[in-house]
Amino acid sequence: MEILVTGGAGYIGSHTCLELLREGYDVVVIDNLSNSHKIALDRVEKLAEKTITFYEADVMDKAALENIFTNHHIQAVIHFAGLKAVGESVEKPLSYYKNNLISSLVLFEVMQQYAVKKLVFSSSATVYGVPENTPITEEAPRATTNPYGATKLIIEQMLEDIAASDSSWQISLLRYFNPIGADISGLIGEDPNGIPNNLMPYITQVAAGRLEEVNVYGQDYETHDGTGIRDYIHVVDLAKGHLKALQYSYYGVEAFNLGTGIGSSVLDVISTFEKATGTQIKHKIVNRRPGDVAKCYADSSKAQKLLGWTAEKTLYNMCKDSWEWQSRNPNGYLK
Ligand code: NAD
Ligand code: UFG
């Protein structure tokens, strides 16, 4: 079965390609490498001992997509391609609306044209905005607080309208919580450009000596230790959730939260990382980061019930595997 993976060279995409190959799928990737390196796919091929067909192209390029759908018997699409940095989206909203919305629009048009109507879409817990209650269920109200989140929300709405207009579509909206970790080999992992915005790559770069100390954004939240709580999920568990969504047989559109259901504070993550890796993470408390919420964690019981999926790896595993990747590749893929 041939699967098209958009953005397959990226962090979550590369881990998903590996799981797909291991499960016997044929994988075709389209990626413009705007935030990734081809070497990630070379390493996936090496780990799986199988090959990937790679197209270096932009998903906004309709002719490139038509060429792929003409040359391959694509049966389903997993759509990861997109820009994902919240802060950058506030500074460059037009780039985010253009890249994320136009690429999705062109992709869905071409899928319709070639009657390929099974889609797994990378959405995000960001569509819940500032959650009223935790754990968050899929029925929680949707709202956005930044242009990146707005693109996810608009694409979800676009897909709901497509499914309403044509009942032969099968669409999963996977709302990820906080993906961290790496394949246990340490050969593929997250390789952010510049200084990381997210907690785990920041911690690993402090551990590697690239950054001096972690700034803990606020210790005055209403949480057990005052620092912000998130639902960290191992990227390999997340990747496996995509395979479950591909195998799920239904018509229409369904949203699924992919998280562990366990909330961990910033200080919990730092202390677990220290235990898992034997390193010391220098850190200091600073002011809250604007826009952050106190608590965000998932109720993932719908994914368990309908997809038969649950996250298996612990925060300890996530920290250990993140560090394995960072320590084996101190400067990321290319440097
Ligand atoms: P990533 O940046 O590592 O991967 C995205 C990939 O898409 C990159 O390889 C990039 O080169 C490619 N790409 C971007 N625009 C493209 C275009 N127009 N045409 C072709 N390729 C394009 O990001 P990731 O962390 O792997 O995230 C994958 C998806 O999951 C994204 O849609 C992101 O919004 C979503 N998501 C990520 C997180 C997270 O914390 N990592 C959380 C929730 C949702
Ligand atoms: N944090 C720090 N110091 C840092 C970085 C983060 O204390 O240097 C704290 C944050 O305040 C927050 C927690 O660590 O309490 C997690 O922050 P991240 O930046 O790692 O993740 P967010 O929850 O802010 O956002 C992530 C993605 C978004 C996505 C969201 C929900 O970056 O794209 O999860 O899926 F929308």
Side-chain angles (χ1 to χ4, degrees):
M1 186 170 177
E2 238 174 337
I3 309 294
L4 176 64
V5 183
T6 77
Y11 172 46
I12 306 169
S14 55
H15 286 84
T16 304
C17 287
L18 179 56
E19 296 306 319
L20 287 167
L21 292 175
R22 283 178 171 156
E23 286 288 315
Y25 291 94
D26 293 316
V27 177
V28 178
V29 167
I30 176 169
D31 198 306
N32 63 7
L33 303 181
S34 59
N35 196 37
S36 53
H37 301 286
K38 167 73 172 52
I39 191 172
L41 293 176
D42 299 341
R43 292 187 182 181
V44 168
E45 289 182 326
K46 188 175 158 194
L47 286 166
E49 298 179 347
K50 290 188 179 158
T51 55
I52 289 173
T53 308
F54 176 59
Y55 292 86
E56 183 176 343
D58 199 297
V59 183
M60 290 189 275
D61 180 347
K62 193 170 188 188
L65 278 179
E66 285 173 338
N67 177 48
I68 293 173
F69 279 82
T70 302
N71 289 332
H72 298 270
H73 184 49
I74 302 293
Q75 281 159 292
V77 177
I78 307 182
H79 181 32
F80 291 107
L83 301 175
K84 63 162 184 178
V86 173
E88 187 185 60
S89 81
V90 175
E91 284 156 30
K92 300 179 187 167
L94 284 176
S95 305
Y96 273 67
Y97 285 113
K98 183 173 181 190
N99 188 73
N100 293 3
L101 298 184
I102 305 293
S103 60
S104 299
L105 194 69
V106 171
L107 173 68
F108 306 155
E109 256 179 10
V110 175
M111 287 178 71
Q112 180 118 31
Q113 202 176 311
Y114 285 79
V116 177
K117 297 187 179 175
K118 185 149 191 144
L119 174 76
V120 179
F121 172 60
S122 291
S123 189
S124 166
T126 196
V127 299
Y128 297 118
V130 179
E132 284 168 19
N133 297 300
T134 43
I136 303 171
T137 67
E138 289 80 358
E139 286 71 44
R142 285 177 287 177
T144 58
T145 53
N146 55 72
Y148 163 70
T151 67
K152 293 294 179 194
L153 201 51
I154 293 167
I155 298 165
E156 285 202 357
Q157 285 167 348
M158 211 192 280
L159 290 169
E160 284 161 359
D161 291 340
I162 292 171
S165 74
D166 175 350
S167 60
S168 58
W169 279 83
Q170 302 180 53
I171 300 167
S172 302
L173 311 174
L174 301 187
R175 296 178 182 153
Y176 314 152
F177 280 67
N178 290 58
I180 59 172
D183 183 69
I184 196 165
S185 63
L187 284 183
I188 55 173
E190 188 174 10
D191 184 15
N193 282 327
I195 295 180
N197 292 309
N198 296 122
L199 181 63
M200 182 52 76
Y202 207 104
I203 290 176
T204 59
Q205 291 197 15
V206 169
R210 281 173 67 180
L211 294 169
E212 199 186 330
E213 63 184 334
V214 176
N215 293 312
V216 176
Y217 295 137
Q219 200 177 17
D220 55 353
Y221 287 107
E222 281 191 28
T223 62
H224 64 272
D225 60 17
T227 65
I229 284 185
R230 295 291 182 275
D231 187 338
Y232 297 93
I233 172 164
H234 198 294
V235 67
V236 173
D237 279 334
L238 193 65
K240 288 180 175 167
H242 293 73
L243 273 71
K244 292 286 189 186
L246 272 185
Q247 289 151 7
Y248 179 51
S249 208
Y250 68 102
Y251 287 91
V253 57
E254 286 286 355
F256 297 100
N257 286 340
L258 297 189
T260 59
I262 298 168
S264 304
S265 73
V266 178
L267 295 180
D268 291 336
V269 176
I270 291 175
S271 64
T272 307
F273 187 91
E274 289 178 333
K275 277 190 212 112
T277 63
T279 57
Q280 287 292 306
I281 302 301
K282 201 173 159 201
H283 59 278
K284 68 166 189 286
I285 309 294
V286 298
N287 288 337
R288 289 182 179 196
R289 183 170 66 177
D292 275 353
V293 296
K295 288 185 199 171
C296 177
Y297 58 98
D299 177 335
S300 290
S301 53
K302 183 176 173 187
Q304 182 173 8
K305 201 165 136 206
L306 297 188
L307 303 180
W309 173 89
T310 36
E312 287 169 359
K313 291 177 183 268
T314 62
L315 184 61
Y316 188 91
N317 299 138
M318 300 179 213
C319 291
K320 206 169 166 41
D321 295 343
S322 292
W323 179 232
E324 184 67 18
W325 152 254
Q326 180 75 71
S327 52
R328 287 175 70 121
N329 304 270
N331 296 308
Y333 279 111
L334 276 191
K335 306 138 226 161

